[in-house]
Amino acid sequence: MNELYRYLTLAASNDWRRQDERQRSEDKAEFVSAVEGGEGIAVHAYSLVGTRGDADLLLWVLAEELDAIRAWEARCAATRLWAQSSRPYAYLAARRPSPYLGGHRHADGEAERPAGPVGDLPYPVVYPMTKKRSWYALPREERARIMAAHFATGHRYPDIRIHTGYSFGIDDQEFVVAFEVPDVRRFVSLVSDLRDTESSSYTERETPIFVGRAMPLREALDHIDGAVALAELAR
Amino acid sequence: MNELYRYLTLAASNDWRRQDERQRSEDKAEFVSAVEGGEGIAVHAYSLVGTRGDADLLLWVLAEELDAIRAWEARCAATRLWAQSSRPYAYLAARRPSPYLGGHRHADGEAERPAGPVGDLPYPVVYPMTKKRSWYALPREERARIMAAHFATGHRYPDIRIHTGYSFGIDDQEFVVAFEVPDVRRFVSLVSDLRDTESSSYTERETPIFVGRAMPLREALDHIDGAVALAELAR
Amino acid sequence: MNELYRYLTLAASNDWRRQDERQRSEDKAEFVSAVEGGEGIAVHAYSLVGTRGDADLLLWVLAEELDAIRAWEARCAATRLWAQSSRPYAYLAARRPSPYLGGHRHADGEAERPAGPVGDLPYPVVYPMTKKRSWYALPREERARIMAAHFATGHRYPDIRIHTGYSFGIDDQEFVVAFEVPDVRRFVSLVSDLRDTESSSYTERETPIFVGRAMPLREALDHIDGAVALAELAR
Amino acid sequence: MNELYRYLTLAASNDWRRQDERQRSEDKAEFVSAVEGGEGIAVHAYSLVGTRGDADLLLWVLAEELDAIRAWEARCAATRLWAQSSRPYAYLAARRPSPYLGGHRHADGEAERPAGPVGDLPYPVVYPMTKKRSWYALPREERARIMAAHFATGHRYPDIRIHTGYSFGIDDQEFVVAFEVPDVRRFVSLVSDLRDTESSSYTERETPIFVGRAMPLREALDHIDGAVALAELAR
Amino acid sequence: MNELYRYLTLAASNDWRRQDERQRSEDKAEFVSAVEGGEGIAVHAYSLVGTRGDADLLLWVLAEELDAIRAWEARCAATRLWAQSSRPYAYLAARRPSPYLGGHRHADGEAERPAGPVGDLPYPVVYPMTKKRSWYALPREERARIMAAHFATGHRYPDIRIHTGYSFGIDDQEFVVAFEVPDVRRFVSLVSDLRDTESSSYTERETPIFVGRAMPLREALDHIDGAVALAELAR
């Protein structure tokens, strides 16, 4: 229950997009090999094509140790795609037991699940979140009461799964919240409902919001330069 | 009533602007072909030349499924123009019934219309919108009362048509609001009137605002590099 | 009283600045020809050299129709200077009668003057402006009273002329305010005096502020690459 | 007592940094010649190397007329170094008598000194400053009382000299405040003391803060590309 | 107790990343030589690979005099790596006795330690910090009381060491706070606990937060372009 989460986005430069198709294909293969060969980590890939305008790829990295993440990122840094991309958003967070759940446990609760995505749902939604400082001035029991109402709304959407990361002091937000979602409209509905909860008024910031599409890394890369579309055309 | 809206802006790089005219013409044809050949989607094009300084083109994309949008965007990503442009603003939203209209319906109401622009008016105005959290702390009936006054002001401008998209949890704003407008001065008048409504005080942010001009995509592209002006000069 | 104002700034890229002198001279001539040959519009040029660090040129464009502005901007977009510049700031606004003047008119009042600059004063000052939403919650008469005190301060500076544009709903600010000024220190004095008025407390934002210098467009362009200084040296 | 101050920062591009040493040396000589040959102005140069990460050089320009500043900046714009740099921060301000000093004068007071730096102290500190609008809603006498306490703290640091510029309406801040300082730790102490004054609570913004080092312009330029260090190594 | 701290981050450009391996290796050796040969300063290097997306390297520089920092930075500026990098974040601060500790001293207290990192812990955490102005309006004794509770929370984490720098008036923040930390999850726990203290409500801003990894400078540079990973692969 103390694994580290690293969220990393990639935006390909126009320089790279203008390389010829064969070169791009080789660069993607090199990148896949670097990403997938890391030790002590697990990596999940999501395409941001179609949902953001400022990033193309989201990687969700899990590790027990920060050094494993660093070693893995150095592997990535040795690739040609990395040297022709930028990382417009990157987040670091750690798993911890929720201070508001106490001894309360239920079968599909976060604390009972292994770290990281289960992977059975197509759309991850990820965002950094920071609460107003006035939240922390409330008595613990008051916060627990407010969070209970928040959780209750979430429980009305059992088909949506949450993963909470804690970034206090190690990144610019307090939390990185990730969801696995069956359909984006379903998530619009949940978040719209959550606006009416008391907890909502204590949110300082919860953007940018990333909606990804789970897929193999190579396929996600093939979305960036449209190779996936060309392949379809050629069929 | 649950279609997806994707709004995508494009800004051509100076690298592309400096390509020779024949190359630019071929690039535009390639882009038109990619944009218009998508499956499961409809695309409307608007020129931003003359109204913004940071984006040249606005595309309003409609689809039933997010995967259709992604597949379409991958098609676009395979073009030379895409590889020499940036996407300074991009929004994702979904249609939903308004929570404030209840069973109320009227002939030209939003819920009665098909998704997307009717297309009979020259100027779309599009902007992302977020309300203050204090709005959501109001009782539902209070909000309904305030929204009714807001709608009443809108009804004084029956020549202006609204399209509301909901982005809760799937993009950095809560709404993407789009209007079809006969003249921009008419819209200045409406928005100026709306400032005096109570609902106005609950707005957290409603910029950037995009005023487009409806036209065929090729013509919108010919505005970016001034080919439309050169053609006129040659006549 | 419903003309459109387009304010457009231009910042030359270092790529363009490094072109040889003859090429730059040709590019400037081409740009002057594009700017000055538009139909249905009038354009006034101001140098920002010496007052801003992020833009070199300010154009103040007047037109009856938005399509004329768009057509004109497409003409500009066909030039080499445009293709090697950026437009860091751009604003769109429309003239309207002030809601606070009622039937009140005076000889040199805004509503009595034709649209756009008179042109007898060297320094235009232009900025976008947005009021706090609490302003619009005040009763109309209260606002009229506060604005009357604001106007009274302005009337103590009869040598300074104001031009108000309304951007509600068509750009990211509510107003674009332009002044014609005999000396910048005189304007510092006016704005300093205005800080003490009640209206000042309702300002949400009134930056960036552009101080220009009225001059022929070619001369303003010759300030960007210092050709005006080289010419002086050669005399 | 109504001179104009222009503060201009310069950041050399990596393109320029990668020119060969001889070319850079020629470019620096050309820039020095352009900067120092202006008419009707005085220029003071400060290195920002070692204190900022986003600008390399600070120029403090004094003139009686804005046209002299513009003509001077056009001279600078004709140089190769300008064409390979950016101006990340630039400010315009004018001297005026303080509205809070009344007839009060003392020997080393600002109003008694000529415009611009005395030049006997190594470190200028320069920053733009804007007060909260609530400040201007206070009665004049109340403001005078609060400023008197502010001045009293300043008087405990007679080795630190202040220069106040007024930017109301002619730039994005209200003031540009400059200090001449014998040691940066001494200034940390003064500003820390000022935090406890009542006037401090009326500050809206007083960043970015630039700490410079007074030196001849050529030497400041030789800090940008490290030529000053290479010279030392060669000794 | 009045040493200067300079924190400097470096982000390698894609231009540099695309140099061939031999050239990059030479550039790194040149940079190490420049960094380590400064006079009157000490430099500590930390890798940001794996924790940030916008900077690759953090240098923590200590000196008695600002001129030594400037001379050292000019040395760095003469290198090829500097000319192909940017410095996205840079901070300047000075050590001072805490105004809230009074005569209180304890063995491992900050004031008893020499300046700079002890170096026995792997992870430095560094961030700029600014307090709300309302903090400074509190009576001194009230602030001392609140800080005592803040310190008490810190004392529950004796394995975490703090270093406080003061930037009042010499940089855009009030403080630069640095920690030496045995594990990032331990620091998440401390900062999470601090949220519940009264002092937390007086924080205006404490981002961006940099988590580094202590290592020799050459090794940190070898993480930027992945040379450290290639070396591992070759073993």
Side-chain angles (χ1 to χ4, degrees), chain A residues 30-212:
Chain A
E30 180 198 42
F31 187 69
V32 170
S33 165
V35 166
E36 296 185 348
E39 280 176 45
I41 62 157
V43 184
H44 303 265
Y46 308 99
S47 175
L48 298 175
V49 172
T51 55
R52 296 289 307 180
D54 50 1
D56 301 307
L57 177 74
L58 173 66
L59 299 176
W60 182 355
V61 182
L62 288 78
E64 294 286 336
E65 296 303 331
L66 189 48
D67 284 345
I69 294 176
R70 178 172 294 107
W72 170 82
E73 213 162 298
R75 286 175 57 93
C76 297
T79 67
R80 290 182 298 272
L81 181 56
W82 189 275
Q84 295 178 78
S85 304
S86 61
R87 271 72 57 198
Y89 305 97
Y91 305 107
L92 183 67
R95 280 184 99 202
R96 318 178 75 198
S98 167
Y100 303 113
L101 286 176
H104 180 73
R105 291 283 179 276
H106 58 92
D108 190 40
E110 265 202 88
E112 317 312 308
R113 278 189 258 121
V118 175
D120 55 340
L121 295 172
Y123 302 107
V125 180
V126 176
Y127 53 85
M129 207 257 260
T130 298
K131 296 193 173 187
K132 289 184 180 154
R133 289 295 163 101
S134 56
W135 168 255
Y136 300 100
L138 297 177
R140 278 261 155 189
E141 316 78 63
E142 180 76 352
R143 286 186 257 171
R145 183 187 62 75
I146 294 172
M147 287 308 291
H150 176 92
F151 293 146
T153 300
H155 289 159
R156 297 210 310 270
Y157 293 80
D159 50 336
I160 292 177
R161 194 182 293 122
I162 189 172
H163 302 266
T164 311
Y166 294 78
S167 301
F168 292 85
I170 62 170
D171 208 342
D172 302 354
Q173 66 287 333
E174 293 180 344
F175 306 91
V176 182
V177 192
F179 296 86
E180 293 180 273
V181 170
D183 185 279
V184 292
R185 282 157 287 212
R186 186 82 177 133
F187 195 63
V188 169
S189 181
L190 165 56
V191 174
S192 178
D193 285 359
L194 285 171
R195 279 295 189 279
D196 289 358
T197 63
E198 198 175 349
S199 68
S200 164
S201 67
Y202 290 101
T203 300
E204 175 70 30
R205 188 160 185 250
E206 52 185 0
T207 59
I209 296 175
F210 301 90
V211 175

Side-chain angles (χ1 to χ4, degrees), chain B residues 4-155:
Chain B
L4 294 171
Y5 288 158
R6 169 76 166 160
Y7 295 96
L8 192 61
T9 65
L10 206 86
S13 70
N14 280 353
D15 281 350
W16 184 76
R17 291 175 188 276
R18 295 172 71 181
Q19 300 283 331
D20 70 49
E21 193 181 336
R22 180 189 303 262
Q23 183 64 56
R24 277 183 278 119
S25 183
E26 285 178 21
D27 291 355
K28 289 184 273 192
E30 181 197 41
F31 187 69
V32 169
S33 165
V35 167
E36 296 184 349
E39 279 177 44
I41 62 156
V43 184
H44 304 265
Y46 308 100
S47 175
L48 298 175
V49 172
T51 55
R52 296 288 309 179
D54 50 2
D56 300 309
L57 177 74
L58 173 66
L59 299 177
W60 181 356
V61 182
L62 288 78
E64 294 285 337
E65 296 303 332
L66 189 49
D67 284 345
I69 295 176
R70 179 172 294 105
W72 169 83
E73 213 161 298
R75 285 175 56 91
C76 298
T79 66
R80 290 181 299 272
L81 181 56
W82 189 275
Q84 296 178 76
S85 303
S86 61
R87 271 72 57 198
Y89 306 96
Y91 306 107
L92 183 67
R95 279 185 100 202
R96 319 178 74 197
S98 166
Y100 303 113
L101 286 177
H104 180 73
R105 290 285 178 275
H106 58 91
D108 190 41
E110 266 203 88
E112 315 312 309
R113 279 188 257 120
V118 176
D120 56 340
L121 295 171
Y123 303 106
V125 180
V126 177
Y127 53 85
M129 208 255 260
T130 298
K131 295 193 174 188
K132 288 184 180 154
R133 291 292 163 101
S134 56
W135 169 255
Y136 299 99
L138 297 177
R140 278 261 155 190
E141 316 80 61
E142 180 75 353
R143 285 186 257 171
R145 183 187 62 76
I146 292 172
M147 287 308 289
H150 176 92
F151 292 147
T153 299
H155 289 159

